[in-house]
Amino acid sequence: MEQKNESSFAGFILLGFSDRLQLEPVLFVVLLIFYVFTLLGNTTIIALSYLDPHLHTPMYFFLSNLSFLDMCYTTSIVPQFLFNLSGEDKSISFGGCIVQMYISLALGGTECILLGVMAFDRYAAVCRPLHYTVIMHPRLCALMASASWVTGFANSFLQTVLVFLLPRCGRNKLAHFFCEIPPFLKLVCVDTTMNVYATFFASVIMLLTPVSLIMFSYGWIVKEVLRIKSTGGQRKAFGTCGSHLTVVSLFFGTAIYVYTQPSSSDSQDQDKFMSLFYTVIIPMTNPLIYTLRNRDVNGAIKK
């Protein structure tokens, strides 16, 4: 890598997986394939939801939002990562790091809330089927989707500003493959206890609160489904919610692990691989999870 004068270089060095050079070519190929499939899969979901009148329902409205969000989320991270993997230059500008942290954190927070909103939609569909169209009317759906985006971006703005105001005393080597808060705090040369607490508190609100709402919603859904006497009816109800519950488990499980566990040098590699999972792999698998067992989407694809 071309050596830069660290006193004059205002950006950051994303070390990523540079300690495992033999892994970088493999990662580049795998990530490129995953990224292409992420764009194709999520674009397909959005196009089908728009073109097929049978998919003009609240469920697919939120699913389209989620697909668009996943594409943006992955795009905020993967192209820069691929660029860093393709050569010796692992740098990112100061402004680029701010933008990447802000956008990725905002989209990640938005997805957390949106998944909670989708759980409420499934609760209304299963537990209040006769009043579903009244409860989930278009104006409320648009309001909840907008609130998810606004809350995610507002939370990200506050956290990003607080982090970048901290002094780093010339440290610019980030032990990660993108600008994320937990590894960034390790560059700071003052006590970060308050920032760690603030990040943990924000994580509780943005991660654990939606998880609690999802668990509450699915508790009522399971209770309602068990009242259905026919096995076919139970299977259909669980099938409707199974895809969403799978995505929730994968996304929140890895994000909670990274953002709520105590930070240590021994966990750096684990954190990087876990971050890779929820920033790259999950956005690619979401369209597959939602379409493999979904008759409506499969029917729209055939049309």
Side-chain angles (χ1 to χ4, degrees), residues 141-157:
C141 293
L143 182 62
M144 289 193 294
S146 301
S148 300
W149 286 87
V150 170
T151 303
F153 275 82
N155 168 69
S156 178
F157 178 79

Side-chain angles (χ1 to χ4, degrees), residues 64-76:
S64 297
N65 269 265
L66 185 66
S67 294
F68 177 71
L69 192 153
D70 278 341
M71 285 197 302
C72 295
Y73 186 40
T74 305
T75 301
S76 70

Side-chain angles (χ1 to χ4, degrees), residues 278-296:
Y278 70 77
T279 57
V280 179
I281 298 175
I282 292 178
M284 186 206 69
T285 57
N286 280 355
L288 295 175
I289 293 171
Y290 278 111
T291 57
L292 284 177
R293 297 179 60 188
N294 191 306
R295 293 180 180 178
D296 293 335

